[in-house]
């Protein structure tokens, strides 16, 4: 059974919201890749569309958009997601996850691609106003 923590970013307000998703709603994310759009009702945002922007597995290894599949891969990186070089020209071989979501993924990062009615904070029950 798949279970994820989905971190939803609202580009209008700059706020982020975390939601634990399991069962049927979690299955909506399986097989999707970074850049794909998902119906927001999976996290309680009816009428919204979310775009998957990244994620990580249970050990903290990040997903990379330029790595195919869902498994672990060792790639030589010069910078970007998973490695920040300390000087120019520095490279390092790093283990990262592919861009496809599988059962091994623990956290999914998403942003609001299409707005629905109401604010994100109100719909997720975290608005203090």
């Amino acid at each position: 059974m798949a279970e994820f923590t989905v971190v939803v970013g609202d580009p209008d307000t700059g706020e982020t919201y975390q939601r634990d998703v399991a069962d049927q709603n979690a299955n909506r994310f399986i097989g999707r890749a970074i850049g794909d759009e998902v119906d927001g009702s999976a996290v309680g945002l009816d009428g919204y569309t979310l775009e998957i922007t990244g994620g990580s597995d249970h050990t903290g290894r990040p997903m990379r958009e330029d790595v195919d599949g869902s498994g672990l891969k060792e790639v030589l990186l010069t910078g970007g997601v998973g490695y920040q070089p300390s000087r120019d020209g520095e490279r390092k071989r790093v283990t990262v996850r592919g861009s496809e979501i599988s059962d091994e993924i623990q956290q999914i990062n998403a942003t609001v691609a299409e707005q629905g009615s109401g604010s994100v904070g109100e719909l997720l029950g975290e608005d203090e106003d």
Side-chain angles (χ1 to χ4, degrees):
M1 175 173 60
E3 190 171 326
F4 306 113
T5 299
V6 180
V7 179
V8 178
D10 184 1
D12 290 342
T13 64
E15 298 288 325
T16 58
Y17 305 93
Q18 290 188 7
R19 279 287 174 251
D20 291 327
V21 179
D23 302 327
Q24 293 283 63
N25 291 330
N27 289 335
R28 295 183 192 183
F29 291 98
I30 299 290
R32 302 291 179 107
I34 295 174
D36 287 353
E37 293 187 348
V38 180
D39 184 26
S41 63
V43 293
L45 293 173
D46 295 328
Y48 281 74
T49 302
L50 304 176
E51 180 183 352
I52 298 171
T53 58
S56 60
D57 64 8
H58 65 281
T59 62
R61 291 186 195 105
M63 296 172 65
R64 276 191 66 105
E65 188 172 14
D66 57 351
V67 177
D68 292 333
S70 63
L72 292 173
K73 304 261 179 13
E74 286 188 4
V75 292
L76 187 63
L77 299 178
T78 58
V81 175
Y83 176 61
Q84 300 299 321
S86 59
R87 60 184 185 269
D88 287 343
E90 187 175 14
R91 300 183 305 172
K92 186 176 181 180
R93 188 164 305 280
V94 178
T95 304
V96 295
R97 286 261 170 210
S99 63
E100 189 175 311
I101 295 175
S102 66
D103 289 337
E104 288 86 24
I105 299 298
Q106 182 76 31
Q107 175 181 315
I108 299 171
N109 303 328
T111 186
V112 175
E114 292 181 23
Q115 295 282 341
S117 59
S119 75
V120 175
E122 289 173 358
L123 291 172
L124 294 178
E126 296 182 15
D127 218 2
E128 297 174 3
D129 295 355

